[in-house]
Amino acid sequence: MNRMRHFSLNYIRNFKKHDRCEVSFDCPMCGDDTGGHLYYNTRHGVGHCKRCGETVTKLDILRLRNAKAITHLDETYVREIEHVEETLVKIDAPPHLLDVVQSEVAVDYLTRIRGLDVKEIMTWGIKFCPVGEYKYRLVALIYENWECVGFQTIGIYEGQRKYLAPSSFNLKQYLYGVDFVTNLVVVVEGIFDALAYGRGAVALFSKIPTDLQVEKLVAIGKPIVVMLDGDAIHDAEK
């Protein structure tokens, strides 16, 4: 059942601003006049009700607004919900990208060295860059809500830096593969870990998730299985 059907049309009540990034209001899952139990972080775009435990995302709220399900949303609230910190930078993909099958070198690396199926990983947004700053590197496009927000590149030649991303792009604000999740979230470290596991895997780009990544994982609302490398616990204890 579509969870959006449960939203009350009159829940924009008891709106309060607590600090720079946190507001609260009536939870759409609890019904009217619940006393503002849903606390929403405007920086991260995620809210959590302390009464019923439901998670509400920015996308949920904006979908309702765009569908005119919310008819009395005041402008103060709109500004808070649509607020995004300047640190949440989106980066356009490099120009002149090729599908990996168009590069014999990329195909050889992915199949012989990594043991992956090329046709399958093409669906993940893996490309090959033949020119420019990221010349002769694989390019993993990073999506959130099916919108490309940035990328990470992977060196395939000896002597190349293994991973390289734009300096202004914070990888740890995002989860690789999150849009492919269906029934189970399998948390892994890197892009190739996700590609090896297949659909449902979500990569952190590191061994330890950030607070924002944890919030986004919880917001998916699916069971979570953690499959990090064996040294991740040791690194987390440092």
Side-chain angles (χ1 to χ4, degrees):
M1 180 179 293
N2 188 342
R3 65 189 291 270
M4 300 296 288
R5 295 177 186 172
H6 296 287
F7 278 82
S8 165
L9 302 188
N10 300 311
Y11 72 84
I12 308 302
R13 297 179 181 176
N14 297 315
F15 180 86
K16 296 179 182 178
K17 183 173 181 179
H18 299 279
D19 56 33
R20 182 182 177 187
C21 296
E22 186 177 64
V23 297
S24 65
F25 48 92
D26 288 356
C27 174
M29 303 303 287
C30 291
D32 295 339
D33 196 24
T34 61
H37 288 101
L38 194 145
Y39 285 75
Y40 184 91
N41 189 298
T42 58
R43 177 183 178 186
H44 299 160
V46 177
H48 183 76
C49 180
K50 295 185 177 181
R51 181 181 182 184
C52 69
E54 182 67 29
T55 297
V56 176
T57 68
K58 173 182 177 179
L59 186 60
D60 288 334
I61 294 171
L62 295 184
R63 278 175 177 167
L64 283 172
R65 180 189 175 212
N66 292 339
K68 302 186 184 305
I70 302 174
T71 57
H72 55 289
L73 188 61
D74 66 67
E75 289 306 309
T76 301
Y77 179 80
V78 172
R79 285 194 296 272
E80 293 296 340
I81 294 302
E82 294 185 337
H83 171 69
V84 178
E85 291 287 300
E86 292 181 358
T87 54
L88 297 177
V89 177
K90 294 182 180 180
I91 304 294
D92 291 333
H96 313 301
L97 294 182
L98 303 176
D99 289 333
V100 289
V101 293
Q102 295 178 270
S103 167
E104 292 183 5
V105 174
V107 170
D108 180 70
Y109 175 82
L110 292 167
T111 56
R112 185 174 62 84
I113 306 298
R114 288 288 182 174
L116 298 171
D117 181 87
V118 175
K119 290 183 179 180
E120 173 63 23
I121 68 168
M122 282 179 63
T123 66
W124 287 74
I126 302 292
K127 303 289 185 179
F128 179 75
C129 187
V131 296
E133 181 180 358
Y134 303 104
K135 185 177 181 179
Y136 302 149
R137 300 180 68 89
L138 295 175
V139 179
L141 303 179
I142 301 167
Y143 291 86
E144 187 171 85
N145 296 319
W146 302 107
E147 177 186 3
C148 183
V149 294
F151 62 92
Q152 184 180 54
T153 70
I154 304 135
I156 60 177
Y157 286 104
E158 185 176 352
Q160 281 184 315
R161 183 175 172 180
K162 186 175 182 181
Y163 295 110
L164 183 64
S167 59
S168 58
F169 181 62
N170 187 350
L171 288 166
K172 294 185 179 181
Q173 292 175 337
Y174 299 98
L175 299 167
Y176 184 74
V178 65
D179 288 337
F180 293 137
V181 170
T182 53
N183 299 319
L184 180 70
V185 184
V186 179
V187 180
V188 297
E189 291 183 18
I191 288 174
F192 282 116
D193 296 321
L195 296 177
Y197 181 87
R199 301 296 182 91
V202 171
L204 302 174
F205 304 105
S206 68
K207 298 176 181 179
I208 305 171
T210 63
D211 290 343
L212 178 53
Q213 286 177 323
V214 170
E215 288 189 19
K216 288 185 175 183
L217 286 169
V218 172
I220 296 172
K222 303 292 183 181
I224 298 174
V225 175
V226 179
M227 297 181 61
L228 302 179
D229 293 349
D231 56 355
I233 296 177
H234 175 72
D235 288 354
E237 292 175 346
K238 290 182 179 180

